[in-house]
Amino acid sequence: MTVIQERFIVVSNGETVGRITATSDGPVIDVDYAVDNNGRGAKLRERIRLDGQGIPLDWSIDGTSLMGGSVHEVLSTENGKTQWTSQADQGCVEADSPRLYVANDTSPYASGIYMRAVLASGRSLEVLPSGRLRAEHLRQVDLDGATVDAYVLSGVKLLPEFVLLGGEHRLIACLGGDLMISEIAVREGYEHHYATLVALGSALTTEHLARVQQRVRHRFDVPVRIRDVRVFDPFTKRLTERMSVTFFRGKITGVGHAAHPGQIEIDGQGGTVLAGLHDMHAHNSAWTGLFYLAAGVTTTRDMGNDNDMLLELLPRFDSGELAGPTVVPSGMIEGRSPFSVRLGIIPDTLDEALDAVRWYADRGYHQIKIYNSMNPDWVKPLTTEAHRLGLRAVGHVPAFATPDRMIEDGYDEITHINQLILGWLLEPDEDTRTPLRLTAMARAKDLDLSGPRVQHTVELMRQHDVGLDTTTVILERLMCGRAGQVHASEAAYLDHMPIGYQRYRKRTFVPAKSAEDLAAYDDSFPKLLHTMAMLHAEGIPLWPGTDDGTGFTVHRELELYVAVGMDPADVLRIATYDCAEHLGRADVSGSIERGKRADFVLVDGDPTQNINDIRKVRMVVKGGDVHFPAEIYRELDIEPFELPPPVTIPGADS
């Protein structure tokens, strides 16, 4: 029997970051998959045995996941019984014929297997462990005279995936399917179509999401009055008595006003209205917009992205063509190394780096963000040029540098709590371009926050008015997630999510050889909370960010702020008005006042007393556009959390 080898290239931002080799010998396929992007990426070896219908009977997957966590997943079929074990779960079913299993950790090559199975079954197929895959044909695409078919495959991940198939349903490319960073896997020989494929993926995504927006956006050409609500005042940090809020198109036109003829009336049923939330560490995509609005986040600070994509996306968010927050962009500048993240601009010389600062300034960016592989000697001239042009300068602590040096060289803010703490844990020759920037956090349990090394940094932050973009929630997820378990950070929402995403979250992300290794992470995470408490007590500004795009993690980040001892009302002020002020937008947003933008949220309950009530989002208004999260979540195959409030339209039938 002929041995067939297929090769695929994984590309991000135009650069090769990984490879897939699939070798077929009859019904058995061996897959080697490795990605290295930003010093991280899955590395897997798979063996798959197919039946005559292309359904995997046996499937073994071994290696490491995104951040180096161990992977050992096994599917086996024998005598009508199918069994599986993965990081997330294990199970066994009996059936007359094999059922398609959706792997928990696998390579993009699996999408081709799924697509062939779904198409053979009529474009919809129940799968193991549960759920249903659906495939929809979108269009035909010409690539150098070869016609390939574009499909959307849903039910595997949190997001649908666009898949290109050639003759005999051979996999040609997988386009996207990630909330934040778009990596595509493309068959060798087609990689020169990268720009075309990225544009195709963008077009398919935009078309799909524009249709969704038409269904979930509510625009009214008459004033809208939300009655029977209590309004959060960030200046007193209290709720008002029950009153009303009126808006017309994009502006708040009344707070506490009586009803007037011709208004649309929304019954707030005693809930709380507060200004829209902020995510101060986002990596926006067309998909994240729906998630953010559903979570009550109306403004994000983008902390590095594909520049062309972002500049095309923002007008679509602003116009309402696509659902999404107001985005304040940061310009990523990364150094050149084998570990470089493929985002923003990667200059090869200092002059090119200075030109990058000017490029961002010319396009109205709020700040520059410096990343891991940057030459530390370039930081001072880059921050000086940024400040000269009116931009702020923030970032990671580049490898082999320290937070102290970055503060002295002009940083206005440090990005990620681990980037700060690593400066107190690492030796000078340790390389944070690798996953060490996460794994070294296991040492934090022994850190003395009252020690001179820590306190010197804190004093520098105070002297230079340097804040911290915390993203503690993502460190909690990475350090404390465990295979087969639902961590407390995910418990409030995970059972509402698609089954594939639920399984993905039930995993150990960190590499560990023993229970003692895992215990070190568990014992170290509280030190991050102690650090936040210490910085807050010292007057260091803390900014809630997530490095995620689901919106749910914004809620968890705010809960962690309360967990370190901050009052819920203080946290709400930070998440609304203080963030708006920090971004230079307090004159238009951040509080419920006449004349400001109609960017606000209606939640059930009183989050000034119970911060968890911030999750109970019933309605979101962004620039006057009304969205009901329940409608958005149904479009995303997520079980809604809260019902929309009653709406009365004058003249409409009751």
Side-chain angles (χ1 to χ4, degrees):
M1 190 168 291
T2 304
V3 175
I4 300 173
Q5 192 168 82
E6 302 171 272
R7 293 187 178 89
F8 298 82
I9 297 170
V10 183
V11 187
S12 178
N13 204 26
E15 300 192 23
T16 297
V17 297
R19 296 185 180 275
I20 307 167
T21 302
T23 305
S24 301
D25 188 354
V28 176
I29 308 172
D30 288 303
V31 180
D32 285 341
Y33 171 53
V35 168
D36 191 350
N37 189 3
N38 189 18
R40 60 193 178 194
K43 294 168 180 58
L44 303 171
R45 297 179 68 88
E46 307 179 59
R47 170 159 283 199
I48 310 165
R49 182 172 69 91
L50 305 176
D51 71 1
Q53 306 304 311
I55 303 294
L57 298 174
D58 302 302
W59 197 339
S60 65
I61 308 171
D62 291 279
T64 55
S65 59
L66 176 71
M67 298 302 297
S70 178
V71 172
H72 178 65
E73 186 170 355
V74 177
L75 169 79
S76 62
T77 305
E78 188 174 5
N79 299 325
K81 182 182 293 186
T82 299
Q83 302 181 77
W84 69 90
T85 301
S86 75
Q87 276 213 70
D89 51 22
Q90 57 186 6
C92 178
V93 298
E94 294 187 20
D96 294 334
S97 59
R99 289 172 59 187
L100 179 64
Y101 172 77
V102 175
N104 195 29
D105 287 278
T106 187
S107 68
Y109 186 81
S111 295
I113 295 175
Y114 301 152
M115 280 297 308
R116 287 189 290 273
V118 174
L119 292 177
S121 68
R123 301 193 180 181
S124 180
L125 180 64
E126 288 190 9
V127 295
L128 296 174
S130 66
R132 175 177 292 274
L133 300 190
R134 294 180 297 276
E136 178 186 354
H137 185 264
L138 299 176
R139 66 173 73 160
Q140 290 190 322
V141 180
D142 182 81
L143 297 178
D144 284 349
T147 299
V148 301
D149 290 284
Y151 293 85
V152 58
L153 175 65
S154 59
V156 179
K157 304 176 182 179
L158 180 61
L159 301 179
E161 181 176 28
F162 299 105
V163 180
L164 302 186
L165 301 181
E168 300 180 347
H169 292 158
R170 291 187 314 139
L171 179 65
I172 302 297
C174 298
L175 310 179
D178 190 302
L179 272 170
M180 295 185 295
I181 300 173
S182 178
E183 289 179 353
I184 72 168
V186 57
R187 182 178 289 270
E188 192 174 71
Y190 289 87
E191 62 270 23
H192 62 285
H193 292 294
Y194 174 77
T196 299
L197 295 174
V198 169
L200 174 64
S202 177
L204 295 174
T205 299
T206 299
E207 291 165 10
H208 175 76
L209 291 177
R211 290 191 294 269
V212 171
Q213 173 73 325
Q214 289 174 2
R215 294 191 290 268
V216 301
R217 180 183 61 184
H218 303 273
R219 279 190 166 176
F220 302 108
D221 288 326
V222 298
V224 180
R225 177 175 176 262
I226 309 168
R227 67 175 181 87
D228 191 20
V229 294
R230 302 177 72 189
V231 176
F232 175 68
D233 182 343
F235 308 109
T236 65
K237 293 182 280 192
R238 295 182 179 180
L239 299 188
T240 66
E241 297 299 320
R242 293 192 178 195
M243 58 168 58
S244 66
V245 175
T246 305
F247 66 95
F248 178 57
R249 296 176 180 165
K251 297 286 187 181
I252 296 171
T253 55
V255 181
H257 293 184
H260 298 147
Q263 294 175 333
I264 290 173
E265 190 167 276
I266 297 175
D267 187 355
Q269 299 178 315
T272 298
V273 166
L274 68 159
L277 303 175
H278 291 71
D279 186 343
M280 298 294 275
H281 192 118
H283 298 279
N284 294 271
S285 73
W287 280 105
T288 61
L290 284 169
F291 286 90
Y292 275 129
L293 288 190
V297 178
T298 60
T299 305
T300 63
R301 180 173 64 171
D302 192 286
M303 293 296 283
N305 222 311
D306 178 306
N307 292 327
D308 291 339
M309 182 279 291
L310 189 67
L311 291 175
E312 290 181 6
L313 177 64
L314 300 196
R316 292 190 163 109
F317 280 173
D318 292 342
S319 69
E321 176 191 352
L322 301 182
T326 297
V327 178
V328 178
S330 308
M332 172 85 84
I333 306 178
E334 167 69 309
R336 176 72 65 181
S337 83
F339 305 98
S340 301
V341 65
R342 273 66 176 188
L343 288 178
I345 297 174
I346 309 177
D348 292 309
T349 67
L350 176 57
D351 284 342
E352 290 179 3
L354 292 169
D355 283 342
V357 177
R358 297 163 192 141
W359 191 93
Y360 288 125
D362 285 347
R363 286 155 181 81
Y365 278 63
H366 180 64
Q367 60 190 19
I368 61 166
K369 178 191 176 186
I370 291 168
Y371 209 63
N372 293 321
S373 293
M374 176 58 63
N375 183 339
D377 293 337
W378 294 6
V379 170
K380 189 168 185 176
L382 291 180
T383 62
T384 299
E385 182 68 358
H387 293 153
R388 184 184 73 83
L389 295 170
L391 279 68
R392 301 174 72 253
V394 309
H396 286 211
V397 176
F400 314 115
T402 66
D404 295 5
R405 179 178 177 184
M406 295 303 99
I407 294 167
E408 291 169 337
D409 283 353
Y411 268 24
D412 298 296
E413 191 176 308
I414 292 174
T415 302
H416 302 299
I417 192 168
N418 61 311
Q419 290 285 320
L420 177 66
I421 293 176
L422 288 170
W424 308 327
L425 297 176
L426 297 182
E427 298 300 324
D429 61 345
E430 291 188 290
D431 191 348
T432 54
R433 297 172 300 177
T434 71
L436 180 70
R437 62 184 180 270
L438 169 64
T439 57
M441 296 305 294
R443 309 175 194 174
K445 58 185 174 59
D446 300 318
L447 180 62
D448 178 8
L449 294 178
S450 65
R453 191 173 183 182
V454 173
Q455 290 304 309
H456 182 261
T457 303
V458 174
E459 181 59 29
L460 284 175
M461 295 178 79
R462 187 188 300 107
Q463 291 175 2
H464 293 264
D465 193 24
V466 170
L468 175 66
D469 163 14
T470 49
T471 68
T472 308
V473 62
I474 206 71
L475 273 297
E476 181 183 40
R477 171 181 283 175
L478 294 174
M479 293 173 67
C480 302
R482 295 293 177 263
Q485 300 177 21
V486 178
H487 188 264
S489 61
E490 320 277 4
Y493 69 89
L494 194 60
D495 62 355
H496 287 245
M497 307 298 279
I499 185 63
Y501 187 77
Q502 291 187 40
R503 297 181 77 214
Y504 177 75
R505 284 287 159 231
K506 300 177 188 177
R507 65 176 58 215
T508 301
F509 286 91
V510 292
K513 297 180 180 178
S514 67
E516 290 75 15
D517 289 345
L518 293 178
Y521 290 107
D522 292 334
D523 293 342
S524 292
F525 180 73
K527 192 59 62 82
L528 278 65
L529 302 183
H530 298 159
T531 300
M532 289 176 63
M534 180 264 294
L535 293 172
H536 177 64
E538 294 289 342
I540 305 302
L542 303 179
W543 304 112
T546 68
D547 208 9
D548 184 51
T550 62
F552 302 114
T553 42
V554 175
H555 304 150
R556 179 59 177 174
E557 184 83 350
L558 301 183
E559 291 171 355
L560 290 174
Y561 275 48
V562 173
V564 306
M566 298 171 67
D567 185 84
D570 289 332
V571 174
L572 290 179
R573 172 173 169 134
I574 292 171
T576 56
Y577 184 82
D578 288 354
C579 283
E581 186 175 49
H582 189 56
L583 297 175
R585 294 175 44 80
D587 58 330
V588 296
S589 65
S591 57
I592 308 299
E593 299 179 74
R594 175 177 168 82
K596 286 196 171 183
R597 274 177 57 100
D599 288 356
F600 55 84
V601 184
L602 170 66
V603 302
D604 195 20
D606 180 358
T608 67
Q609 299 301 312
N610 182 0
I611 194 64
N612 306 106
D613 286 349
I614 203 68
R615 296 181 179 274
K616 301 177 181 178
V617 183
R618 301 187 67 189
M619 180 179 74
V620 180
V621 180
K622 185 254 178 171
D625 286 353
V626 177
H627 288 83
F628 300 114
E631 295 179 350
I632 294 176
Y633 286 136
R634 290 189 187 102
E635 293 281 352
L636 296 168
D637 293 322
I638 295 171
E639 181 184 345
F641 299 84
E642 301 290 332
L643 294 175
V647 180
T648 302
I649 300 177
D653 293 335
S654 58

